[in-house]
Amino acid sequence: MLNFESSPSFEPGRVYNRREDLHGHYGGQRQGGISTPADCDLIFLFTSAAGQEYGYRDEFRPDGTFWYVGEGQEGHMEMTRGNRAIRDHRADSKALHLFEGLGEGLVRHLGQAVCLSHHREDRPDVHGNMRSAIVFELAVEPTNGRDADSARKPTGDYKESSRKWWTRPQEELRALAVQPFPTSASEEEIREAAYRRSKAVKIYVKKRADGVCEGCGNDAPFHTTAGRPYLEAHHVHRVSDAGPDHPRWVIALCPNCHRRVHHGQVHHGQDGEQYNKRLASQLDEIELS
Ligand SMILES: [Zn+2]
């Protein structure tokens, strides 16, 4: 059984100063992707866009899980130190917390995580040589449980068709989108919950947009083969767009707007970064009003 209850609560979506707020309070290694404070039941995981150059391509997967590449800059990764800490965190009763590096010592909390399993795959090391890397499959909890509508229990087969998903009413999709993981559940149940939430968020934001880009206000440029207006889900806080998250941070964009924002993020300082900030505040208005 997996357990999501525990530990000091960090707030998903909130920005922390890594050195002061995390290591200053809890200890742990100040450098690197995996930090294991000695005297508390916490493990900090850090993911960043910068790591992508070295084969550390952490990412949300279509099934709603997050794949996190273990530590070890060169040669085959070994199941020791930080890697072992992730693998054994449940047995050791340590809570995993995932943060995304924003640069200049700031990190954004993506949520508490549980390690479902791990596998090995070939990825380049820091010198570009292929080696065996350990990839952890995590379920990330972005809601902190606070949005839960406890009256609503997730319903329906999570494998049901997209068409069926689209017929769900908005309130139901939103309830599913913010449904926390059960506090105690099997690996299979957590995987299903992650998938269900990921699917619910994507469809919810597209239905919310109702055929109009939430960035520029233009109509979707064309319709899909299923007859629905074509828009793309964009995450205003994360580099990786896919995966489960919260309707508050996901906006439906036309392909032009989506390219614009990503182009600017890749080539630092261009308009996309500004544009993304504007989208984030637009989203606040849409979701909070
Ligand atoms: Zn647009």
Side-chain angles (χ1 to χ4, degrees):
M1 286 285 153
L2 308 179
N3 200 332
F4 265 103
E5 284 174 309
S6 66
S7 70
S9 42
F10 299 99
E11 194 184 329
R14 195 174 145 193
V15 175
Y16 294 86
N17 180 303
R18 176 170 174 175
R19 180 194 292 244
E20 288 169 21
D21 301 332
L22 303 187
H23 303 308
H25 281 277
Y26 306 103
Q29 300 88 330
R30 287 159 186 256
Q31 306 282 330
I34 305 171
S35 183
T36 52
D39 298 321
C40 57
D41 297 333
L42 282 172
I43 299 170
F44 298 130
L45 304 182
F46 301 95
T47 179
S48 80
Q52 313 229 346
E53 296 155 36
Y54 309 115
Y56 281 86
R57 230 174 87 74
D58 305 328
E59 60 184 356
F60 279 95
R61 308 283 299 178
D63 70 353
T65 59
F66 184 76
W67 284 15
Y68 183 83
V69 181
E71 68 182 10
Q73 296 214 316
E74 52 185 19
H76 298 315
M77 285 187 187
E78 292 172 32
M79 194 55 87
T80 55
R81 299 189 299 275
N83 294 335
R84 191 173 59 197
I86 297 177
R87 184 195 65 185
D88 296 344
H89 83 98
R90 286 188 266 146
D92 297 343
S93 302
K94 302 261 187 186
L96 293 180
H97 283 273
L98 179 66
F99 295 86
E100 182 176 53
L102 305 175
E104 311 195 338
L106 299 178
V107 295
R108 188 189 302 279
H109 187 236
L110 296 184
Q112 190 175 340
V114 289
C115 179
L116 298 170
S117 58
H118 68 272
H119 64 270
R120 284 185 172 270
E121 54 182 75
D122 291 337
R123 301 237 184 164
D125 69 7
V126 70
H127 306 297
N129 301 318
M130 292 308 277
R131 47 77 179 268
S132 164
I134 300 169
V135 179
F136 294 97
E137 300 174 23
L138 310 178
V140 183
E141 173 61 85
T143 71
N144 231 5
R146 66 186 162 200
D147 301 315
D149 178 350
S150 52
R152 283 179 181 275
K153 293 272 170 276
T155 52
D157 179 0
Y158 77 104
K159 285 174 183 148
E160 72 194 13
S161 70
S162 271
R163 203 173 55 78
K164 185 113 184 280
W165 269 95
W166 275 87
T167 62
R168 290 172 183 268
Q170 266 311 66
E171 318 84 73
E172 187 183 333
L173 285 168
R174 198 172 200 292
L176 287 173
V178 299
Q179 185 74 42
F181 290 133
T183 49
S184 183
S186 67
E187 179 189 329
E188 178 71 8
E189 286 167 327
I190 297 279
R191 282 185 187 274
E192 285 182 17
Y195 178 83
R196 193 165 48 220
R197 188 161 61 197
S198 158
K199 188 100 179 166
V201 171
K202 279 180 223 159
I203 294 176
Y204 170 81
V205 299
K206 288 177 192 175
K207 285 183 82 164
R208 182 184 68 196
D210 196 21
V212 175
C213 172
E214 291 180 319
C216 64
N218 289 333
D219 287 347
F222 58 90
H223 283 66
T224 66
T225 48
R228 291 188 279 270
Y230 181 84
L231 293 170
E232 297 170 350
H234 167 69
H235 196 292
V236 296
H237 286 329
R238 259 187 350 225
V239 175
S240 168
D241 265 344
D245 214 303
H246 200 290
R248 216 169 45 224
W249 301 320
V250 183
I251 194 164
L253 295 179
C254 72
N256 276 349
C257 285
H258 206 191
R259 290 311 302 168
R260 178 176 169 191
V261 64
H262 278 288
H263 188 70
Q265 285 182 331
V266 174
H267 304 278
H268 210 70
Q270 292 196 26
D271 163 65
E273 217 165 77
Q274 283 306 321
Y275 190 50
N276 198 44
K277 284 189 186 136
R278 209 170 89 205
L279 293 178
S281 58
Q282 255 163 255
L283 202 43
D284 280 346
E285 278 176 34
I286 294 170
E287 274 289 314
L288 300 177
S289 59

